[in-house]
Amino acid sequence: MIKKILPALWLAVVLLFLYVPVCLLAVYSFTDSSMIGSIRRFSLDNYRVLFTEPELRHMIVGTLLLALAVSAISTVLGTTGAIGAFYAKRRRRLCLELMNQIPVVNAEVVTGFSVCILLIVFLKIDKTTYIPLIAGLVSLCSPFVYLSVLPRLKQMDAGIYEAALDLGCTPWQALRKVVLPQLVPGIFSGFVMSVTLTLDDYFISTYTKPTLFDTISTYVVNATKGEQTEIKTALWALSTILFLCVCIVVLGMNLLGRKEQGGQEGQGSAR
Amino acid sequence: MKKIHFSRSSLGIPYGIFLVLFVVFPLLIILFYAFTDGQGRFSAENFIFFFSNGKTLGTLAYSLGIAASTTAASLLLAYPAAFILAKGRFRRRPVLLMLFILPMWINFTLRMTALKEILTVIEKNLAYYPFMNTVIGMTYDFLPFMILPVYNSIAKIDDSYAEAAMDLGAKPAQVFLKVMLPLSVPGIISGVMMVFLPAMTNYVVLDMLYNSTYIMGSLIGSYFSAYDWHNGSLISMILLAIILGFSLCSREFAGQKEERTGGIRI
């Protein structure tokens, strides 16, 4: 009996550790209290502030636009990179693979700082142009797109490209109409991963962002240093909304993936 | 035919150029800045200062302590969980696994805000246990990154190895220690790599939990605020050296592992 309960208990404890803080904060985001533990009454004030306070709205919309732009660029670069590397000669492929691995294993602080040194200090590019910020984030995200597209290429039947050529496609058509559709799941999960990486990033953004622009992370860190309770509790609402979005996206992707793979088990495709 | 091959592999050229420009080149610039002074002359002064100053060495020791404790704590929590997930009988295993991985998709500053509120309620004042709070915070943040690789490597282990060991008379504890644990080492190593380095550098966790002691990342942050590019580059360089060491070690270990699994197969 114990042998059965103990493992389940362990999983439950780890899950509680991971979810209690976020869930409790979600519950309290629907009250008017500014501290966990002091239950008052139900209120949607936090959500009202989140959507009406101009500063917060600018920050959220700005971060989302940034995430979309960065992810679009990263997806194109990472996907073309993976296709190129897959068909390249061994030495060139290994070279690309090695360079691709650097941002993956590197600490984000170091990535951010090095991009800042090169673009802002050495090349003196103006920070207000967003170029350093986007370049830094793309260099973080595109390797993950590359890594999620490459396995798809390896799974693909090499013959179908040749078949398309035999049937009269130009190489470009064959690539676009035959190879690319097979890569879509990998490209899509790479895109989603880029969005979450950008939304999650703090270090690259702080070192390369324009002074007046804030991403969610840099905003939250600054807001928790200040003592503005209204902003602080509005961020609880933001946390709850993001939490729900992530749940929906991840579960949705999981269901789609399972349908496509015919119920195959254990595909942990994240990171 | 030759032309076709050229056109496909040349798709990778923009990405290659991008990586050289924004990944390799910045690291070279960092190397350059770490060993020069304000006038652009070669100087090892910052290097000597870092390794002879009690304060900076203390920071290095403190961040190693934080990183080691965080790694140990997350491994202790994650290994049994990953093992149960991989080898237990569950009807909806992918969904259950997803639950353990999902937190890494949520913005970590927001999750840290949540943890801070909880810890404040429990401890009243966060300043009493700064070290412990930091380790809790980092474990909370990085746990999914430990669970995923460990799970993957345990899930890959063929059940027949354990069955064979049992048939040959091994007790359950022996089966675990002599078969399962050694075979899951690659997963443990990549999990450790995913946790140890961020734990040395993610100073936002310390900031948000009111721990004012510096770790290696905070040094970079403070040099950045002071426009001291040379010292900041030096710290980045030291971190890069640690990362390189880790990567080489893990490759070494992975190589040994392959030999050993090969041995089992024979």
Side-chain angles (χ1 to χ4, degrees):
Chain A
M1 197 63 190
I2 290 172
K3 260 190 171 174
K4 262 193 166 171
I5 291 175
L6 213 59
L9 201 67
W10 189 271
L11 292 187
V13 167
V14 175
L15 278 180
L16 281 178
F17 176 57
L18 286 174
Y19 284 95
V20 161
V22 184
C23 292
L24 213 55
L25 205 69
V27 171
Y28 275 85
S29 72
F30 290 103
T31 68
D32 61 353
S33 85
S34 64
M35 244 194 85
I36 285 180
S38 59
I39 294 186
R40 287 193 199 159
R41 68 181 98 77
F42 177 82
S43 144
L44 286 173
D45 241 26
N46 292 327
Y47 292 85
R48 188 185 53 78
V49 174
L50 183 66
F51 289 113
T52 51
E53 180 74 34
E55 195 184 75
L56 280 167
R57 216 177 42 216
H58 280 165
M59 177 271 287
I60 294 167
V61 173
T63 310
L64 288 178
L65 286 178
L66 177 75
L68 287 180
V70 166
S71 308
I73 302 172
S74 310
T75 306
V76 172
L77 272 176
T79 306
T80 53
I83 297 174
F86 185 70
Y87 291 114
K89 295 237 168 64
R90 193 185 140 79
R91 251 188 66 182
R92 223 203 264 175
R93 193 180 64 228
L94 287 180
C95 200
L96 213 59
E97 216 137 83
L98 187 72
M99 288 196 292
N100 188 70
Q101 209 54 33
I102 296 174
V104 178
V105 296
N106 203 349
E108 264 177 57
V109 191
V110 178
T111 309
F113 190 76
S114 65
V115 170
C116 157
I117 290 279
L118 173 74
L119 296 181
I120 298 168
V121 179
F122 190 72
L123 296 176
K124 301 202 167 48
I125 293 176
D126 193 358
K127 261 205 233 182
T128 51
T129 56
Y130 291 87
I131 292 175
L133 178 60
I134 291 179
L137 287 173
V138 170
S139 75
L140 173 75
C141 296
S142 46
F144 289 97
V145 178
Y146 176 99
L147 288 179
S148 73
V149 172
L150 206 61
R152 287 270 154 190
L153 278 159
K154 285 180 181 158
Q155 280 169 20
M156 198 177 63
D157 183 355
I160 55 166
Y161 176 80
E162 308 294 337
L165 291 187
D166 286 346
L167 293 170
C169 278
T170 62
W172 175 241
Q173 279 176 323
L175 209 58
R176 208 169 44 118
K177 300 208 163 162
V178 177
V179 175
L180 215 52
Q182 304 242 351
L183 305 180
V184 166
I187 296 173
F188 182 67
S189 73
F191 182 83
V192 173
M193 215 183 291
S194 298
V195 172
T196 53
L197 279 172
T198 313
L199 291 183
D200 194 57
D201 170 76
Y202 171 81
F203 296 103
I204 294 175
S205 313
T206 0
Y207 293 144
T208 55
K209 75 183 177 65
T211 325
L212 292 177
F213 175 79
D214 260 316
T215 65
I216 291 180
S217 301
T218 61
Y219 189 89
V220 171
V221 170
N222 287 332
T224 47
K225 280 177 188 158
E227 285 303 312
Q228 258 187 301
T229 12
E230 199 185 36
I231 298 281
K232 189 184 100 180
T233 49
L235 290 173
W236 296 1
L238 178 62
S239 161
T240 308
I241 292 175
L242 265 183
F243 178 47
L244 286 178
C245 290
V246 168
C247 286
I248 292 167
V249 169
V250 167
L251 286 180
M253 276 176 72
N254 214 42
L255 289 179
L256 277 180
R258 231 177 344 141
K259 204 181 269 172
E260 187 210 338
Q261 297 205 348
Q264 219 177 52
E265 258 190 54
Q267 20 107 20
S269 63
R271 280 227 180 178
Chain B
M1 206 57 198
K2 204 163 182 203
K3 207 170 167 215
I4 293 162
H5 275 277
F6 172 74
S7 86
R8 277 196 289 179
S9 68
S10 62
L11 263 181
I13 289 174
Y15 187 50
I17 294 172
F18 175 83
L19 285 177
V20 170
L21 279 183
F22 294 102
V23 173
V24 178
F25 205 49
L27 297 184
L28 295 178
I29 290 286
I30 278 211
L31 186 65
F32 172 74
Y33 269 82
F35 289 102
T36 51
D37 60 11
Q39 274 79 49
R41 281 178 308 221
F42 174 80
S43 146
E45 211 172 287
N46 294 335
F47 186 79
I48 293 162
F49 177 79
F50 182 88
F51 284 104
S52 60
N53 184 303
K55 253 187 175 167
T56 47
L57 285 179
T59 303
L60 181 62
Y62 188 74
S63 38
L64 286 174
I66 291 268
S69 317
T70 305
T71 311
S74 6
L75 191 59
L76 224 59
L77 275 176
Y79 194 91
F83 196 91
I84 296 162
L85 274 174
K87 294 294 172 209
R89 290 205 183 108
F90 299 102
R91 250 171 304 153
R92 303 194 151 256
R93 199 200 312 271
V95 177
L96 199 58
L97 176 67
M98 223 55 225
L99 273 179
F100 284 86
I101 309 303
L102 191 137
M104 77 180 173
W105 301 64
I106 307 170
N107 184 299
F108 83 97
T109 58
L110 289 172
R111 293 177 63 219
M112 220 34 80
T113 315
L115 185 70
K116 187 181 86 180
E117 297 296 333
I118 302 269
L119 286 178
T120 315
V121 171
I122 297 171
E123 296 175 14
K124 303 289 181 283
N125 187 344
L126 287 178
Y128 292 150
Y129 313 102
F131 186 87
M132 190 186 80
N133 286 340
T134 307
V135 172
I136 293 175
M138 295 218 175
T139 308
Y140 177 64
D141 192 1
F142 304 138
L143 194 59
F145 296 100
M146 184 65 97
I147 292 180
L148 187 59
V150 174
Y151 169 86
N152 281 337
S153 77
I154 295 178
K156 256 188 236 155
I157 302 174
D158 196 331
D159 282 339
S160 55
Y161 291 158
E163 281 158 20
M166 294 233 255
D167 285 349
L168 294 169
K171 295 186 191 79
Q174 283 175 315
V175 173
F176 175 74
L177 285 176
K178 303 219 156 160
V179 179
M180 301 307 266
L181 190 63
L183 285 172
S184 59
V185 167
I188 296 176
I189 288 173
S190 57
V192 168
M193 266 185 85
M194 295 288 251
V195 173
F196 196 89
L197 283 159
M200 277 187 84
T201 53
N202 194 327
Y203 58 90
V204 171
V205 175
L206 282 81
D207 281 357
M208 292 188 78
L209 297 175
Y210 302 129
N211 180 354
S212 55
T213 319
Y214 270 17
I215 54 172
M216 291 300 272
S218 351
L219 279 179
I220 296 185
S222 72
Y223 285 134
F224 171 80
S225 315
Y227 302 110
D228 186 345
W229 314 122
H230 299 279
N231 270 310
S233 299
L234 181 75
I235 307 293
S236 307
M237 224 45 246
I238 294 169
L239 287 171
L240 277 172
I242 295 173
I243 294 167
L244 192 71
F246 254 106
S247 309
L248 291 179
C249 273
S250 74
R251 193 166 293 182
E252 188 97 329
F253 262 104
Q256 275 183 13
K257 273 295 7 106
E258 265 161 30
E259 275 171 35
R260 229 183 281 166
T261 40
I264 286 179
R265 254 184 213 130
I266 291 163

